[in-house]
Amino acid sequence: MTSSDTLRAFHIMAKPTGSDCNLNCAYCFFLKKEELYPDSDFRMSEDVHDAYIKQLMEAHHVPQVTVAWQGGEPTLMGLEFFRRSVEIQKKYQKPGTCIENTFQTNGILLNDEWCQFFHENNFLIGLSLDGPKELHDFYRKDKAGHGTFDRVVRAVRLLQKHKVEFNILCTVNSKNADHPLDVYRFFRDELGAQYIQFIPIVERDNQTGFQEGNKVTDRSVIASQFGLFLIDIFDEWVRRDVGKTFVLNFDGALAGWLGQAGTVCIFGPTCGLGMALEHNGDLYSCDHFVEPRHLLGNIMEKPMAEIASSEKQRKFGHDKKDTLPQYCLNCEFIHICNGECPKNRFVKSPDGEAGLNYLCDGYKAFFKHADKPMRIMAELIRNGRTAEGVMKILADQNAMSVEKFAGVTRNDPCPCGSGIKFKKCRGNQ
């Protein structure tokens, strides 16, 4: 987080329905947040809505302002709320400023009218989907306990019909983590999705809904499992889909090899520039820390810009870097992940120091595996070329390797020059 007194820009994830949702996904960490507001109807009032947009526009001193909607489930507000929001945005829009609306949804309530509105107003839609039917429906059920896959795929087709730009947000959990290529190929080949993000489910095993305890539920992905998930998809992506299918996890990691870590917030050296706005105007440090000790204030009582620049939020942002264990500081990949998201840093390092990321082993395995092609892509970009050139380079290297080792038997000396028998040499792998 910047040290200047006034921030030029920041990100607010607005939750107009709070934690209210029409689904009952087993791993959802946000459903329990309703306990923070026991007497609420979980609907953003017109006054809070107007104040949010007005203050967001006033606080930004950059050419583009993002208005981000999430939940719970934002479609529960009804379409007229968002029609009104576009009007309010135009009312407070600064000259020369571009406004982008992003909208995360489960897709259940989308219809032609919603999608036509999204198209006409250039909304970017994030759609939650966990893979093929059996994998998606295992955890993502409605209030009656029924799977939601068919309704979400219907939403995909409606978005495509109306030419609405969308991306897929897929959680990686204990059910789908062992089927990486089934998941990836479903999105790529059957849905025709071009933008995908994989979010690991790391669910603390406690009953409060807050960030407590160091055990995880059986719905959570295991660290090594997550690493293998990324590796399998990366191997297919880097050989055939670079430049055609965009995986945010890989783009965010590649930025680290380019010396630009932080294009994805979890990989940034510090955080604090992405806050969460509740339906009543309460502003929290982060979407993953909507809990009393991380409440920064209410925008109806104090200007958003002042809250975002507060010392409390600065400390929250810098704690990500300042509390890294020595094990992380000594890691060869610290410049890639920077300890990843603070919400996952609750286990001990091998030498017993607190604050290691639960997913560390998985990330390290992925980074080590992807290091060579990532370096190739980074070099291509530095030389003014595009990253997809890596596909031909890897294909040529593979062809040369096949030719080099053709006809070699197990007991022959390895052609790599090690002098070791082919069957025992690591150079042929």
Side-chain angles (χ1 to χ4, degrees):
M1 188 172 180
T2 179
S3 60
S4 62
D5 291 334
T6 303
L7 298 172
R8 289 184 54 81
F10 47 84
H11 187 269
I12 300 291
M13 186 178 290
K15 297 175 175 293
T17 63
S19 61
D20 193 18
C21 186
N22 52 349
L23 298 190
N24 190 28
C25 302
Y27 53 64
C28 182
F29 71 93
F30 216 78
L31 291 177
K32 290 182 179 179
K33 302 300 181 182
E34 65 183 3
E35 297 171 7
L36 291 170
Y37 303 97
D39 300 318
S40 176
D41 64 356
F42 293 102
R43 294 295 183 271
M44 182 176 282
S45 70
E46 188 65 26
D47 287 346
V48 173
H49 187 186
D50 189 276
Y52 163 50
I53 301 300
K54 181 175 186 290
Q55 293 183 31
L56 189 71
M57 298 301 160
E58 290 176 346
H60 277 72
H61 306 281
V62 290
Q64 178 170 306
V65 180
T66 297
V67 182
W69 302 104
Q70 194 156 351
E73 175 50 45
T75 56
L76 293 177
M77 287 300 298
L79 182 53
E80 290 309 309
F81 175 88
F82 295 99
R83 292 191 194 280
R84 173 62 180 150
S85 188
V86 171
E87 294 176 359
I88 298 172
Q89 291 169 31
K90 291 177 180 178
K91 175 182 175 182
Y92 294 117
Q93 183 177 11
K94 294 178 182 178
T97 299
C98 174
I99 298 175
E100 175 191 52
N101 280 268
T102 64
F103 193 100
Q104 184 64 40
T105 178
N106 58 42
I108 302 300
L109 296 181
L110 296 190
N111 56 25
D112 284 302
E113 188 177 13
W114 272 102
C115 293
Q116 184 62 30
F117 168 79
F118 290 150
H119 173 76
E120 291 173 352
N121 294 280
N122 299 311
F123 273 55
L124 171 62
I125 307 303
L127 194 66
S128 298
L129 184 57
D130 284 355
K133 185 178 180 67
E134 178 185 357
L135 300 178
H136 174 89
D137 281 347
F138 193 81
Y139 286 132
R140 297 193 65 82
K141 302 181 187 296
D142 62 20
K143 299 292 188 181
H146 301 134
T148 58
F149 175 83
D150 293 334
R151 284 171 281 178
V152 181
V153 171
R154 176 179 175 274
V156 171
R157 300 311 180 201
L158 283 169
L159 292 168
Q160 291 171 329
K161 171 186 173 182
H162 289 277
K163 296 180 172 55
V164 178
E165 187 176 355
F166 73 96
N167 56 54
I168 296 292
L169 191 156
C170 172
T171 72
V172 184
N173 52 67
S174 60
K175 179 63 177 178
N176 65 4
D178 290 331
H179 307 275
L181 292 182
D182 290 338
V183 171
Y184 178 64
R185 290 168 181 170
F186 169 74
F187 293 148
R188 182 193 65 197
D189 301 336
E190 297 190 41
L191 291 190
Q194 292 181 294
Y195 299 91
I196 306 167
Q197 180 180 3
F198 295 110
I199 304 293
I201 290 296
V202 180
E203 183 184 35
R204 302 280 194 94
D205 193 4
N206 66 77
Q207 301 300 315
T208 67
F210 302 144
Q211 298 293 340
E212 300 174 352
N214 59 5
K215 295 182 180 180
V216 299
T217 66
D218 58 8
R219 294 180 286 267
S220 301
V221 65
I222 298 170
S224 58
Q225 209 180 14
F226 184 58
L228 291 172
F229 182 92
L230 292 177
I231 286 169
D232 283 357
I233 294 175
F234 180 81
D235 282 350
E236 177 144 318
W237 173 83
V238 81
R239 285 169 173 77
R240 56 162 291 175
D241 296 327
V242 182
K244 295 183 293 184
T245 304
F246 297 88
V247 180
L248 185 63
N249 308 69
F250 304 154
D251 290 346
L254 176 59
W257 269 273
L258 284 164
Q260 302 169 1
T263 57
V264 178
C265 74
I266 60 171
F267 290 153
T270 60
C271 57
L273 294 177
M275 289 154 280
L277 180 72
E278 265 291 347
H279 62 293
N280 69 336
D282 284 349
L283 195 62
Y284 290 86
S285 291
C286 172
D287 178 43
H288 291 287
F289 291 88
V290 176
E291 50 193 70
R293 64 194 177 103
H294 289 292
L295 174 61
L296 299 171
N298 189 290
I299 66 169
M300 304 304 288
E301 300 170 358
K302 185 182 293 187
M304 180 188 296
E306 184 177 336
I307 298 174
S309 302
S310 67
E311 181 57 34
K312 181 175 181 178
Q313 184 63 356
R314 291 183 192 280
K315 183 179 185 305
F316 174 84
H318 284 284
D319 277 351
K320 178 176 182 179
K321 180 178 181 180
D322 295 342
T323 60
L324 279 171
Q326 193 63 41
Y327 182 79
C328 290
L329 297 175
N330 294 339
C331 178
E332 62 181 309
F333 298 116
I334 183 61
H335 65 293
I336 309 296
C337 82
N338 287 294
E340 208 245 4
C341 184
K343 78 178 181 68
N344 294 329
R345 285 163 47 177
F346 55 86
V347 299
K348 292 185 177 180
S349 65
D351 55 5
E353 191 175 359
L356 183 66
N357 196 295
Y358 166 82
L359 295 167
C360 177
D361 287 346
Y363 274 118
K364 286 181 75 172
F366 167 62
F367 295 149
K368 184 175 181 179
H369 180 86
D371 184 59
K372 180 180 177 181
M374 285 291 193
R375 289 179 183 275
I376 293 173
M377 286 188 284
E379 189 63 22
L380 286 167
I381 293 170
R382 289 192 193 98
N383 290 326
R385 299 166 65 186
T386 55
E388 52 258 43
V390 69
M391 294 184 289
K392 184 177 187 308
I393 292 172
L394 293 179
D396 289 345
Q397 289 178 350
N398 183 65
M400 291 174 61
S401 179
V402 170
E403 180 179 352
K404 181 177 181 179
F405 293 105
V408 180
T409 64
R410 285 169 50 81
N411 291 315
D412 289 338
C414 184
C416 76
S418 66
I420 302 173
K421 287 185 178 181
F422 181 70
K423 64 184 178 182
K424 295 184 177 180
C425 185
R426 302 291 296 177
N428 66 76
Q429 300 177 14

